Amino acid sequence: MTLTNDLSPGFDEPVDGAQRTFRAVLEALSRPGVPVPLAGIDSAPAPMKPTLAAAALSLLDHETSVYLAPPLAIESVRRYIAFHTGAPIVSEPGEADFVIALADRDMPDVLQLKAGTAEYPDASATLLLGISGFGTGLPVRLSGPGIADTREFSSGDLTDDFWTHARKNHTRFPLGIDVILCGPESVVGLPRSTSIAV
Amino acid sequence: MTRGQTYNFAYLDEQTKRMIRRAILKAVAIPGYQVPFASREMPMPYGWGTGGVQVTASVLGHDDVLKVIDQGADDTTNAVSIRKFFQKTAGVETTTETANASVIQTRHRIPEEELRADQILVYQVPIPEPLRFLEPRETETRTMHALEEYGLMHVKLYEDISRHGHIATTYAYPVRVNARYIMDPSPIPKFDNPKMHRMAALQLFGAGREKRIYAIPPYTQVHSLDFEDHPFEVQQWDQACAICGAEVSFLDEIITDDAGGRMFVCSDTDFCNKRSGSTAA
Amino acid sequence: MYVAVKGGEKAIDTAHDLLAKERRGNPDIPEIATAQIAEQLTLAVDRVMSEGSLYDRGLAALAIKQARGDLIEAIFLIRAYRTTMPRFGYSEPVETSRMTIRRRISATYKDLPGGQILGPTFDYTHRLLDFNLETEGPAQPEIGSSVSRPADAHMPRVLDLLGKEGLMEPPDGASAARDNGDGKVGDLTREPVSFPADRDVRLQNLARGDEGFLLALGYSTQRGYGRNHPFAGEVRMGEVRVEFVPEELGFAIEISEITLTECEMVTQFKGSKDVPPQFTRGYGLAFGHCERKTMSMALVDRALRADELGEERQAPAQDEEFVLSHSDNIQATGFVEHLKLPHYVDFQSELELLRKMRAEIAKAHVEAAE
């Protein structure tokens, strides 16, 4: 594969960039609902968000399959992901290890994604979800591992449907998927272990 | 024939780190569940902390300050060796002071000083499967975890009580994480078990030879298995530390002569040094 | 007065210095060259390459020298080096039927196409110490030109001959047990083994497995612990070409030639009233000249096929999880030897409990006496 002129670059410093991004994502999943600052990759092709691109580049490679939801399933994004990660792109969301989507458009059904098995609940999908911001919209109350008591969280991009599905996702624990919300300058984790009350 | 080479930051190649990082994220999302991972062959023997080293290598960044302890001490030979490994391959700052560390790799102890939310504790694990001594087959234990069939473990602990009057497990004492998975806390003394409960720091566990990673997110419920008529209890000493006078720490027994002479000192060297005002090791 | 044990760093440095000194031995004796090891301790080199999973005679010789002849330590050095190597891809399968044969024997036929070729073997040596080797050793023997010539290029495998007659099961065995059904060959160095394992992963595990462990297990099958009535259908050793398809070329090119030993066991037949009976197979393959290893491997491979062939699993060699979990000598030596690391915190915990229990019993006795 050759790098053509119109292909945007990945991390400025691949080793450091991947490590910093991972630590932000780890922190986010360890403390659900808390926005963790993350410098994204600004040059990622639209409509990939910078933090979404960083999360993808830090976690994907040829060993992980990825599904790109409709607004992202365009040539520029496919080439970007293929070149920088080598991850095989699949056409069925239910087959993917990683699903990359935008919260405000054509989001795949959370409950249709790979949820693992009773013996191997880790063989489940991670949803990387681009989001326009936090702190707007109706708050939900989160509790569970990573949360000392309870924590309020809101995002105007996330619909009632999403929260209904997310609650169902939690009730099938230890099966389920894990969500990384990728905002403009931070990421928020919603692992399957988090209990959600409206 | 020159084959000298330079290794990647923190020794592991980026692909390996990504694989381990993905396993860590799943481990955090499913507290207490053992995630299989493609453990690599490290330049130190299995049993010397290859799992912990791989987890630390995948987590560590330039801004981190690393502390490594074995038996609670910074200056035990294997702790020294692992600390040197990361100084050499990652060039990170190291410390012996618990409060100054952002990442602490440990074998067999949890520091006495309370850990904070901005710290990560990485445990070296020899046998990650808490049910292994009851049932050696992975195929069986995996099903037991899947079905949440933990009766066998309670039977074993109760047999101890009827035979010895006590639960005869004093280290690697099994815990239930977030009211779901039974987990092996690694061979820490049961004295340390209560520290795991709702700890502010993230706890990561790496078992290299057995190829498993698991985790306890911050503030997670960690319950040491027990019975109503035999509640969980920790070790106690009649003595205080002979160096710093602490009465709340785990004590090592030192044989001082061959006539039954012995003394007790803190196993956590940093804790002891701080209290006795001596300089860090 | 007790002094806290400090200076672990200095102790380690000193230990390393002492180790280097011991390795070198008496400086009046010339230092051994890695080329000498590679040329004269070839079977040690072969074992280190096989169980180290890395075909490089020079590196294996270096590892043996550095490990002071401890082959498990040498294998460890090779494994730890191998794990850092970038991977360009997988070679094409090697074709052992086109091996340039240096040794080939069959215990099942007196003669066969290509003939029996004894080659370099200890088999018929009398195990008498050769004191000539204490000094310079005897002069290189003259090898007649008829012997030094490579053996007949056409050297069909014995089991293929049986297969043509329908007497032998296909190479893949009874079913798609060969792979995960996706056509990809597994790699246990990249994915953790899960049980039940497929035959490809089992064979990889055995190929890397400890020779002594496999030898004992193979031996146990002969003594009735999972007996499968084996015949050494064929043992062959020689050179095969390794081919690789670079993505940018799209066709195979030869990248190397390596020495392999292959053993195919002919084992007890299987069949039913619908399927005519056929012999079954056990397979062994290793780098270099490793007959003991490949023969043991073939016996254990066959024993591990118990489920597939509808046999009851009773013996250790048939127990997949037991065999695969304990075959690796680097894992085994690490965990056994780690017992010498400090365990005094756990030991202290046991002491405390033991004293408490003894005190309680003593107190109970006193109370009973009162």
Side-chain angles (χ1 to χ4, degrees):
Chain A
M1 209 180 304
T2 49
L3 182 64
T4 55
N5 292 334
D6 58 335
L7 192 56
S8 324
F11 287 116
D12 290 342
E13 292 180 51
V15 173
D16 256 18
Q19 189 271 339
R20 284 175 204 280
T21 306
F22 165 71
R23 278 292 279 277
V25 171
L26 175 64
E27 175 81 10
L29 271 183
S30 301
R31 299 171 199 281
V34 176
V36 179
L38 172 65
I41 301 173
D42 293 331
S43 55
M48 270 300 256
K49 291 173 186 298
T51 54
L52 194 56
L57 264 55
S58 72
L59 295 174
L60 272 56
D61 56 37
H62 61 90
E63 290 183 349
T64 56
S65 58
V66 58
Y67 171 81
L68 300 172
L72 296 168
I74 53 175
E75 188 54 21
S76 58
V77 176
R78 295 173 74 94
R79 284 181 49 222
Y80 184 79
I81 292 292
F83 179 80
H84 287 294
T85 73
I89 297 174
V90 295
S91 54
E92 287 299 322
E95 289 170 7
D97 299 317
F98 283 87
V99 172
I100 307 181
L102 301 178
D104 54 352
R105 271 193 289 165
D106 296 316
M107 219 185 78
D109 181 349
V110 164
L111 298 175
Q112 298 304 312
L113 306 182
K114 215 161 58 166
T117 63
E119 284 78 18
Y120 294 95
D122 59 301
S124 51
T126 304
L127 173 61
L128 306 178
L129 195 57
I131 208 161
S132 59
F134 304 116
T136 57
L138 276 183
V140 291
R141 193 175 318 117
L142 311 177
S143 59
I147 303 167
D149 183 19
T150 61
R151 182 171 291 134
E152 299 238 311
F153 173 75
S154 64
S155 168
D157 282 0
L158 299 173
T159 60
D160 289 352
D161 267 3
F162 172 85
W163 289 117
T164 305
H165 287 171
R167 278 208 305 278
K168 280 192 184 149
N169 182 52
H170 169 67
T171 56
R172 52 186 181 166
F173 185 89
L175 274 58
I177 70 152
D178 308 300
V179 186
I180 317 284
L181 303 169
C182 300
E185 284 162 342
S186 59
V187 287
V188 169
L190 278 180
R192 68 191 78 180
S193 58
T194 301
S195 165
I196 301 159
V198 180
Chain B
M1 185 176 71
T2 57
R3 309 206 195 212
Q5 59 177 19
T6 54
Y7 291 100
N8 196 22
F9 177 78
Y11 181 77
L12 296 176
D13 60 278
E14 289 302 297
Q15 203 280 325
T16 296
K17 285 187 203 164
R18 265 193 308 273
M19 176 272 295
I20 293 171
R21 286 166 180 167
R22 291 192 295 260
I24 292 173
L25 294 181
K26 287 299 171 194
V28 168
I30 316 169
Y33 165 76
Q34 304 162 48
V35 180
F37 81 110
S39 175
R40 300 295 196 241
E41 266 148 339
M42 301 298 287
M44 59 205 50
Y46 288 116
W48 265 245
T50 55
V53 166
Q54 289 179 83
V55 168
T56 297
S58 304
V59 163
L60 218 54
H62 288 297
D63 304 336
D64 279 307
V65 180
L66 178 69
K67 171 181 167 83
V68 183
I69 51 173
D70 187 341
Q71 313 297 300
D74 298 271
D75 55 2
T76 35
T77 40
N78 200 40
V80 170
S81 166
I82 291 173
R83 189 162 59 240
K84 273 177 99 168
F85 177 75
F86 283 114
Q87 280 168 341
K88 194 161 145 187
T89 59
V92 292
E93 192 185 332
T94 61
T95 183
T96 58
E97 292 181 51
T98 302
N100 289 351
S102 60
V103 177
I104 302 171
Q105 179 167 329
T106 181
R107 176 169 174 268
H108 295 194
R109 277 309 312 274
I110 298 175
E112 306 291 359
E113 195 172 330
E114 198 171 322
L115 299 184
R116 299 183 312 263
D118 60 348
Q119 295 178 305
I120 297 177
L121 183 59
V122 179
Y123 296 76
Q124 302 172 202
V125 182
I127 302 274
E129 178 51 72
L131 307 170
R132 183 65 71 233
F133 301 103
L134 310 170
E135 169 52 62
R137 281 173 201 286
E138 159 81 8
T139 39
E140 298 292 324
T141 53
R142 190 160 281 281
T143 307
M144 289 158 79
H145 283 297
L147 300 175
E148 219 174 331
E149 256 181 29
Y150 292 137
L152 202 57
M153 179 62 94
H154 286 96
V155 170
K156 194 264 168 195
L157 296 179
Y158 213 86
E159 276 174 4
D160 279 2
I161 294 172
S162 51
R163 186 175 311 147
H164 305 295
H166 290 273
I167 293 174
T169 302
T170 57
Y171 58 91
Y173 189 102
V175 295
R176 188 111 189 220
V177 179
N178 193 31
R180 176 57 179 85
Y181 284 100
I182 286 190
M183 190 198 90
D184 183 304
S186 88
I188 55 171
K190 66 179 182 175
F191 178 89
D192 284 339
N193 275 25
K195 297 176 189 163
M196 308 177 92
H197 178 59
R198 299 182 61 78
M199 184 190 278
L202 170 65
Q203 302 173 72
L204 301 175
F205 299 79
R209 187 179 41 78
E210 298 281 341
K211 304 179 169 52
R212 297 289 183 273
I213 285 171
Y214 51 102
I216 304 176
Y219 311 113
T220 300
Q221 278 187 42
V222 179
H223 175 74
S224 301
L225 301 185
D226 63 354
F227 301 92
E228 267 180 24
D229 52 345
H230 277 88
F232 173 79
E233 52 185 32
V234 300
Q235 289 94 337
Q236 288 176 337
W237 286 262
D238 299 332
Q239 300 84 350
C241 170
I243 296 175
C244 75
E247 293 174 354
V248 293
S249 62
F250 188 93
L251 301 178
D252 284 339
E253 179 173 335
I254 313 286
I255 307 282
T256 50
D257 56 37
D258 58 1
R262 56 174 58 92
M263 63 189 285
F264 291 84
V265 297
C266 290
S267 107
D268 184 333
T269 47
D270 177 55
F271 177 80
C272 195
N273 288 339
K274 285 241 160 50
R275 284 178 49 89
S276 60
S278 74
T279 50
Chain C
M1 173 60 199
Y2 166 73
V3 182
V5 183
K6 287 198 199 301
E9 192 155 347
K10 191 155 186 285
I12 290 176
D13 289 344
T14 309
H16 292 174
D17 290 344
L18 288 168
L19 181 67
K21 197 163 177 248
E22 288 284 317
R23 187 199 62 70
R24 178 60 184 87
N26 182 349
D28 296 339
I29 307 292
E31 176 145 2
I32 193 168
T34 56
Q36 291 173 308
I37 295 171
E39 284 299 314
Q40 296 172 40
L41 298 179
T42 48
L43 299 181
V45 168
D46 289 347
R47 179 171 175 196
V48 170
M49 292 197 304
S50 276
E51 293 172 32
S53 281
L54 185 73
Y55 197 99
D56 189 316
R57 303 198 73 83
L59 286 182
L62 171 60
I64 291 167
K65 175 174 174 174
Q66 187 179 331
R68 305 168 60 197
D70 178 338
L71 295 192
I72 291 183
E73 183 66 27
I75 291 161
F76 186 8
L77 288 167
I78 291 299
R79 291 268 192 95
Y81 181 80
R82 175 191 193 272
T83 205
T84 65
M85 296 281 90
R87 281 155 191 255
F88 300 114
Y90 292 91
S91 74
E92 295 294 289
V94 293
E95 185 49 86
T96 52
S97 71
R98 280 192 270 152
M99 181 183 272
T100 307
I101 297 275
R102 282 195 283 145
R103 169 163 164 80
R104 187 264 196 133
I105 48 161
S106 169
T108 52
Y109 292 102
K110 183 170 184 181
D111 200 5
L112 65 168
Q116 306 258 16
I117 296 168
L118 219 42
T121 177
F122 290 122
D123 285 355
Y124 305 102
T125 61
H126 295 147
R127 269 60 167 202
L128 304 171
L129 281 174
D130 180 357
F131 293 102
N132 289 321
L133 293 177
E134 277 192 313
T135 53
E136 290 295 292
Q140 280 264 16
E142 287 285 325
I143 306 289
S145 60
S146 64
V147 181
S148 62
R149 194 157 34 90
D152 192 342
H154 181 64
M155 191 83 69
R157 282 183 297 223
V158 171
L159 271 69
D160 293 346
L161 299 173
L162 283 166
K164 275 189 188 151
E165 235 184 298
L167 296 173
M168 173 55 69
E169 63 168 345
D172 296 357
S175 62
R178 184 174 57 100
D179 59 40
N180 325 313
D182 58 4
K184 275 199 328 202
V185 178
D187 182 351
L188 58 79
T189 67
R190 309 308 279 186
E191 269 176 69
V193 176
S194 60
F195 301 106
D198 293 310
R199 193 172 175 208
D200 52 349
V201 170
R202 291 203 306 252
L203 286 169
Q204 184 189 15
N205 176 288
L206 298 181
R208 290 160 57 91
D210 182 71
E211 179 174 310
F213 179 75
L214 296 184
L215 176 66
L217 279 177
Y219 176 46
S220 73
T221 68
Q222 290 179 285
R223 291 194 65 261
Y225 291 86
R227 186 149 185 236
N228 50 43
H229 304 271
F231 295 95
E234 181 171 349
V235 176
R236 57 169 62 197
M237 183 274 290
E239 281 64 44
V240 297
R241 284 182 301 190
V242 181
E243 295 183 331
F244 181 76
V245 181
E247 213 169 307
E248 60 273 28
L249 286 183
F251 55 86
I253 54 165
E254 184 180 333
I255 53 169
S256 182
E257 190 178 71
I258 63 174
T259 304
L260 291 179
T261 305
E262 182 185 56
C263 171
E264 293 199 279
M265 289 283 178
V266 179
T267 56
Q268 193 165 44
F269 38 82
K270 277 287 153 202
S272 62
K273 61 180 191 310
D274 306 318
V275 184
Q278 288 183 313
F279 285 120
T280 55
R281 310 168 172 255
Y283 188 74
L285 185 75
F287 288 152
H289 191 179
C290 297
E291 279 176 41
R292 186 186 302 121
K293 166 71 179 266
T294 50
M295 292 180 75
S296 305
M297 178 177 168
L299 290 173
V300 178
D301 168 50
R302 174 61 184 80
L304 288 175
R305 294 179 62 205
D307 276 359
E308 178 198 341
L309 296 169
E311 297 163 345
E312 200 183 340
R313 288 199 295 173
Q314 291 172 315
Q318 294 169 317
D319 186 333
E320 172 181 282
E321 193 172 336
F322 177 79
V323 173
L324 301 193
S325 302
H326 302 112
S327 61
D328 190 291
N329 52 26
I330 303 309
Q331 291 176 5
T333 201
F335 203 44
V336 167
E337 293 197 52
H338 109 284
L339 290 172
K340 64 195 166 188
L341 292 185
H343 282 79
Y344 39 77
V345 167
D346 293 344
F347 186 70
Q348 183 57 222
S349 303
E350 296 280 81
L351 273 180
E352 193 260 0
L353 177 66
L354 200 58
R355 284 179 182 141
K356 190 156 95 183
M357 291 195 306
R358 289 171 63 88
E360 280 168 10
I361 287 172
K363 192 172 157 225
H365 278 306
V366 170
E367 280 167 6
E370 276 164 3

